[in-house]
Amino acid sequence: KAYNLPSLAKIYIYIIMSSSMLTTNGILDLIESEGIKSGRHVKQPTLQITNIRRVPANALTDVYWAILSDGTNSIEVVISTHLSHLVQSGQLEEYTVVKVKTYQYNVTDDNIHIVSISEVEICEDANPEEQIGKPVSILDTLHKKDSVK
């Protein structure tokens, strides 16, 4: 069987470039910031939105939840309501790559993990048309490690 080498080379280059767009261990950067408030120096990982959904909060407001990925791990986050216009205009959508500039991660008394995203920078030059990597939920990974101990 003959292979079109230029096409295979393009795919290989795309895979390398796509994986390098995202911050290695970027999801860990988010959850290692537990309790750190906006305004303090925190890492600003570049991550990909792999899913986004609208959840009606009340008659006037919609809340958007998204799954962010670093290509290896993922976590569900809530997008601050003042960023809703970015979702509604289509600037934040599935597969969009963003630099997460301001966020807060907390764990409630009921062991519910909440990451709230309040400022992002959309990476205009990164426009993949598919999910980068095969990420798994970081919370599933952490729970498995805890149960092994």
Side-chain angles (χ1 to χ4, degrees):
K1 183 175 179 178
Y3 293 97
N4 183 344
L5 292 179
S7 294
L8 289 175
K10 286 179 187 176
I11 291 170
Y12 181 71
I13 290 169
Y14 174 78
I15 291 169
I16 291 171
M17 289 177 64
S18 296
S19 61
S20 66
M21 283 185 225
L22 306 180
T23 302
T24 302
N25 296 320
I27 297 299
L28 287 172
D29 290 344
L30 288 181
I31 64 174
E32 287 175 351
S33 70
E34 181 179 355
I36 295 176
K37 306 277 189 267
S38 297
R40 288 200 184 170
H41 177 70
V42 292
K43 294 180 181 176
Q44 298 180 346
T46 299
L47 304 169
Q48 183 183 42
I49 297 171
T50 59
N51 184 282
I52 195 162
R53 63 187 169 90
R54 180 180 64 86
V55 178
N58 59 46
L60 300 174
T61 308
D62 289 330
V63 174
Y64 291 93
W65 285 83
I67 297 177
L68 291 180
S69 162
D70 62 14
T72 302
N73 294 302
S74 64
I75 193 165
E76 189 170 32
V77 302
V78 63
I79 298 173
S80 178
T81 54
H82 74 272
L83 298 178
S84 293
H85 69 284
L86 295 174
V87 179
Q88 294 161 353
S89 68
Q91 292 176 317
L92 284 184
E93 61 184 354
E94 190 172 76
Y95 309 135
T96 302
V97 175
V98 295
K99 177 181 262 191
V100 181
K101 298 186 74 130
T102 308
Y103 55 91
Q104 187 168 355
Y105 171 70
N106 288 298
V107 181
T108 67
D109 291 338
D110 299 333
N111 201 32
I112 297 172
H113 299 252
I114 300 173
V115 178
S116 177
I117 304 299
S118 53
E119 183 182 0
V120 296
E121 178 183 310
I122 299 169
C123 300
E124 301 290 342
D125 57 337
N127 194 13
E129 296 178 6
E130 58 188 23
Q131 179 175 292
I132 298 171
K134 298 207 180 295
V136 296
S137 170
I138 190 69
L139 300 180
D140 290 347
T141 304
L142 293 176
H143 291 307
K144 284 179 186 172
K145 287 181 182 175
D146 289 344
S147 66
V148 172
K149 290 182 181 179

